Amino acid sequence: MNRLDREQMAARVARDIPEGAYVNLGIGLPTTVANFLPADKEIFLQSENGLLGMGPAPAKGDEDPELINAGKQPVTLLAGGCYFHHGDSFAMMRGGHLDICVLGAFQVSERGDLANWHTGAADAIPAVGGAMDLAIGAKQVFVMMELLNKSGDSKLVAECTYPLTGLRCVSRVYTDLAVFDLGPDGASVIEMVDGLSLEALRKLTGLVLRDGRASVCIPE
Amino acid sequence: MNRLDREQMAARVARDIPEGAYVNLGIGLPTTVANFLPADKEIFLQSENGLLGMGPAPAKGDEDPELINAGKQPVTLLAGGCYFHHGDSFAMMRGGHLDICVLGAFQVSERGDLANWHTGAADAIPAVGGAMDLAIGAKQVFVMMELLNKSGDSKLVAECTYPLTGLRCVSRVYTDLAVFDLGPDGASVIEMVDGLSLEALRKLTGLVLRDGRASVCIPE
Amino acid sequence: MIDKSIAAVEAAVADVFDGARIMIGGFGTAGMPDRLIDALIAHGAKDLTIINNNAGNGETGLAALLKARRVRKIVCSFPRQTDSHHFDALYRAGEIELELVPQGNLAARIQAAGAGLGAIFTPTGYGTLLADGKETREIAGRHYVLEYPLHADFALIKAHRGDRWGNLVYRKTARNFGPIMAMAAKCTIAQVGEVVPLGALDPEAVVTPGIFVQRVVATGDARRAAA
Amino acid sequence: MIDKSIAAVEAAVADVFDGARIMIGGFGTAGMPDRLIDALIAHGAKDLTIINNNAGNGETGLAALLKARRVRKIVCSFPRQTDSHHFDALYRAGEIELELVPQGNLAARIQAAGAGLGAIFTPTGYGTLLADGKETREIAGRHYVLEYPLHADFALIKAHRGDRWGNLVYRKTARNFGPIMAMAAKCTIAQVGEVVPLGALDPEAVVTPGIFVQRVVATGDARRAAA
């Protein structure tokens, strides 16, 4: 079974981002998707802290502490990019102006509920940042995550047990084992890695999982 | 009796506008107050259509159709002035950032209700513009108007009969005969023209009218 | 390569449909996208709902659209002006519907649409005819009226300069409703004086980021005055 | 002549009172007004409520204010960071109150305060722990939570350049919360790299009009990089 590594997962997500899309890549794993976006396509990266047209990390020594991304890492601005304040930045998200946002998750329910901000542990210090705004704002919300947690339990679930970030908001989940489309009728599998069967995937997730492999057209 | 003419009324209002005040002058008569603001004091004029630091009318031939005031007359911008969009402009008003706004009126009630947008006539085409925003937004709302209408009825009234622009929003009324402070307890007279008695003024208005001439300190 | 610039003003409005809700920028004639409106008239879409601060001035722009009887309803704050005779005539004849909105509520409702809010409590208009029948609430000792967002299918706006990604800067008080309408419409079409190369607009001074703009049409008639 | 510039940073914060609600700009350290915070610590005001996106990083700025135990409550979206140990310790000891707000609701509530709105229905947080006990409503098929404005007595922000009328421009992503906080506080104090002569800021590019700013303090340490 050819489980995808994190770079392969990022590359797989990148394949589904069309030219001209306005995209927000969440902190952590989703940020790496930027490395796999095709150089010959213009794709607009937005960062919640007030920039659109985000470019790659600067060369060593060119970092500017006032030009950072949502993860507070130094970035650059492309020609044609611009800056704006937090009100406008979150209007972009909440107002449905972003085409795609890519987020990590602790759990996603088969109908698209997202849990990615809080483990619910009693001693955890809660922190939400822009996760709830991104979850409900973008036209499409993609999640990328490993399908199983460290205990081997599926993170794609019937109902989330972790505190929710947003309801019915995730449209697609990219994992190391399969890609799922989510909707009111539950999850359907649109891709699997070689050597994995739908039956095995149903067993891993404990979900019904419709077979959507034929009917789905992946945007280029 | 030395009834003030319109220029004298404008000059009288101008005397109460302190240096550093952020001021919106309504369309029509209030606009003329600008001509009487002292040149040696910096007073910030805001116009609802997106400028702060409005200067005087341009010289003949220098008019710019894209640099106008709320009355759609050509104006200029002072050094230090700036432009902004309608959202920010009305946030300035509604958010209580303006110190003073000066408006005309059809009627003002002794407790500060304002009627200045609609005569209520059945065949009138209603138009409100920014009047309702200005009425409720500025820290102080000044009205300037002739005290009596063409029929000789007082426009300062117990209760407005014209449709309201805002409730309990006017703090001071400048007229050709007297200046009134308004509040929850009704109107008090703080100035009268020479030759007019408080008794005569009470008769003209039909209002109780407290005598506030001693107790009021007019800002320089 | 993404290029939102369109050479012909006719092509820019070609997909406007009958019954569309259209925001039109401008305060009086300042910032009114006259070329886009001319194209819209030529295009022929009818039964439109127009959202603008005014209801047309003189014979051109929005006034001409009204005169052509393409507008079913207008949402505005200040229809009555000395030169709004086309609106006046239609209104008195009962041939156009008017939704009168205080100017700041017009702006706030447009902003609410752009920002994805469901409704706002605004103090403007409380206790007046224009709040008749609307839900009100006292919050922290002050009275507010509940107002809903104003969305649109299209926004036609005028800006000073734009680039192929749709970034816009405006000129003086022609800015007015442009930036907030751009955020509230599904498809924003900007008439600009000129389309400049990518990177020519200062990223600190861009007023409307390209994400809010779908089409840019250069008219070549930018004023080159002071600014 | 109106001159909002103040030479000494200490004088700029001299009237901050115990128990004040203070907005502090910045996203992490970008846009954090470190000099004003240092002056606030030296000033000694305590029992403060702080509104900021984060809860301090490392040892300086907001983290130092927390360490000095001047903060009773913090309203923020993202307190937990690798270097937020001063907040973490106070929080675990029960010595600081936390109001956790989704970042976009934080921004929208600050904007509502600046714009004089009484409340807003926002979709963010609906159905989550952070909307527990809050009023909700379905509007046009979507679910919203009612959120109230966030006002402040003071806003301490950092800008790139300012003038004596209080007009401000920012630099890159240090802009973040500055412009909206300036609109929401009774008294906005801006730390700027330099105070420039009146008229030196392009009126088309001013981000915060002077009406929203009461005091400007030049620190002389503006970054002079690309912008």
Side-chain angles (χ1 to χ4, degrees), chain A residues 106-107 115-127 161-163, chain D residues 80 129:
Chain A
F106 298 144
Q107 286 179 328
N116 78 344
W117 73 282
H118 191 8
T119 60
D123 66 337
I125 296 178
T161 55
Y162 286 136
Chain D
R80 188 193 61 215
L129 279 180

Side-chain angles (χ1 to χ4, degrees), chain A residues 93 114 186:
Chain A
M93 299 182 199
L114 172 66

Side-chain angles (χ1 to χ4, degrees), chain C residues 18-73:
Chain C
D18 289 355
R21 289 174 65 86
I22 306 180
M23 291 177 174
I24 298 183
F27 182 89
T29 56
M32 175 171 287
D34 54 341
R35 298 288 300 279
L36 292 175
I37 299 172
D38 288 349
L40 182 62
I41 294 170
H43 168 63
K46 58 183 192 298
D47 202 29
L48 304 173
T49 294
I50 298 295
I51 299 163
N52 179 263
N53 187 58
N54 303 106
N57 300 79
E59 298 297 326
T60 59
L62 178 52
L65 185 70
L66 292 172
K67 184 182 179 187
R69 296 178 174 263
R70 305 290 169 71
V71 182
R72 185 181 64 74
K73 176 178 175 180

Side-chain angles (χ1 to χ4, degrees), chain A residues 17-42:
Chain A
I17 299 179
E19 177 152 38
Y22 289 90
V23 180
N24 184 298
L25 300 174
I27 295 178
L29 188 54
T31 302
T32 62
V33 171
N35 303 333
F36 297 92
L37 294 174
D40 61 334
K41 287 185 187 167
E42 291 186 337

Side-chain angles (χ1 to χ4, degrees), chain A residues 21-174:
Chain A
Y22 289 90
V23 180
N24 184 298
L25 300 174
I27 295 178
L29 188 54
T31 302
T32 62
V33 171
N35 303 333
F36 297 92
L37 294 174
D40 61 334
K41 287 185 187 167
E42 291 186 337
I43 290 166
F44 306 106
L45 298 182
Q46 192 250 19
S47 187
E48 70 193 27
N49 54 317
L51 74 163
L52 187 64
M54 185 164 60
K60 186 112 184 142
D62 288 347
E63 298 89 350
D64 182 336
E66 293 189 339
L67 180 46
I68 58 175
N69 66 12
K72 303 188 174 88
Q73 301 158 315
V75 294
T76 52
L77 188 79
L78 302 178
C82 63
Y83 303 107
F84 36 84
H85 62 54
H86 250 76
D88 284 346
S89 182
F90 280 79
M92 284 181 195
M93 299 182 199
R94 201 192 305 110
H97 303 282
L98 292 175
D99 296 298
I100 295 169
C101 108
V102 184
L103 296 171
F106 298 144
Q107 286 179 328
V108 178
S109 87
E110 58 184 332
R111 274 177 280 274
D113 296 340
L114 172 66
N116 78 344
W117 73 282
H118 191 8
T119 60
D123 66 337
I125 296 178
V128 65
M132 290 186 179
D133 304 279
L134 285 166
I136 57 88
K139 292 191 187 99
Q140 291 187 81
V141 174
F142 293 170
V143 160
M144 60 187 294
M145 63 181 190
E146 279 152 16
L147 183 60
L148 306 181
N149 66 17
K150 285 170 189 165
S151 319
D153 299 322
S154 175
K155 295 162 73 176
L156 183 65
V157 295
E159 294 292 342
C160 295
T161 55
Y162 286 136
L164 293 180
T165 307
L167 272 70
R168 308 289 167 101
C169 55
V170 178
S171 49
R172 188 172 282 188
V173 178
Y174 297 85

Side-chain angles (χ1 to χ4, degrees), chain B residues 101 103-109 112-119 127-137 141 143 160-170, chain C residues 102-103 105 123-131 142 145:
Chain B
C101 109
L103 295 171
F106 298 145
Q107 286 179 328
V108 178
S109 87
D113 295 342
L114 172 67
N116 79 344
W117 74 281
H118 191 9
T119 61
V128 66
M132 290 186 179
D133 303 278
L134 285 166
I136 56 89
V141 174
V143 159
C160 295
T161 55
Y162 285 135
L164 294 181
T165 307
L167 273 70
R168 309 290 168 99
C169 55
V170 179
Chain C
Q103 194 171 163
N105 285 355
T124 302
Y126 176 81
T128 76
L129 279 181
L130 298 186
R142 198 160 186 213
V145 183

Side-chain angles (χ1 to χ4, degrees), chain B residues 27 48-51 64-72 83-88 90 94 117-118 123-133 136-137 163-167, chain C residues 27-28 30 54 77-81 87-88 91-92 100-105 108 111 122-130 142 158 171-177 179-180 223:
Chain B
I27 295 178
E48 71 193 26
N49 54 318
L51 74 165
D64 182 337
E66 293 189 339
L67 180 46
I68 58 175
N69 65 13
K72 303 189 175 85
Y83 304 107
F84 37 85
H85 63 53
H86 251 74
D88 284 344
F90 281 79
R94 201 191 306 109
W117 74 281
H118 191 9
D123 66 337
I125 295 179
V128 66
M132 290 186 179
D133 303 278
I136 56 89
L164 294 181
T165 307
L167 273 70
Chain C
F27 182 89
N54 303 106
S77 86
F78 207 77
R80 187 193 62 214
Q81 300 179 87
F87 170 80
D88 297 1
Y91 182 78
R92 293 193 193 285
L100 190 70
V101 181
Q103 194 171 163
N105 285 355
Q111 288 187 288
T122 167
T124 302
Y126 176 81
T128 76
L129 279 181
L130 298 186
R142 198 160 186 213
K158 182 182 181 183
R171 187 169 174 278
K172 302 188 177 182
T173 58
R175 185 185 304 196
N176 59 67
F177 282 92
I180 63 174
R223 304 189 160 272

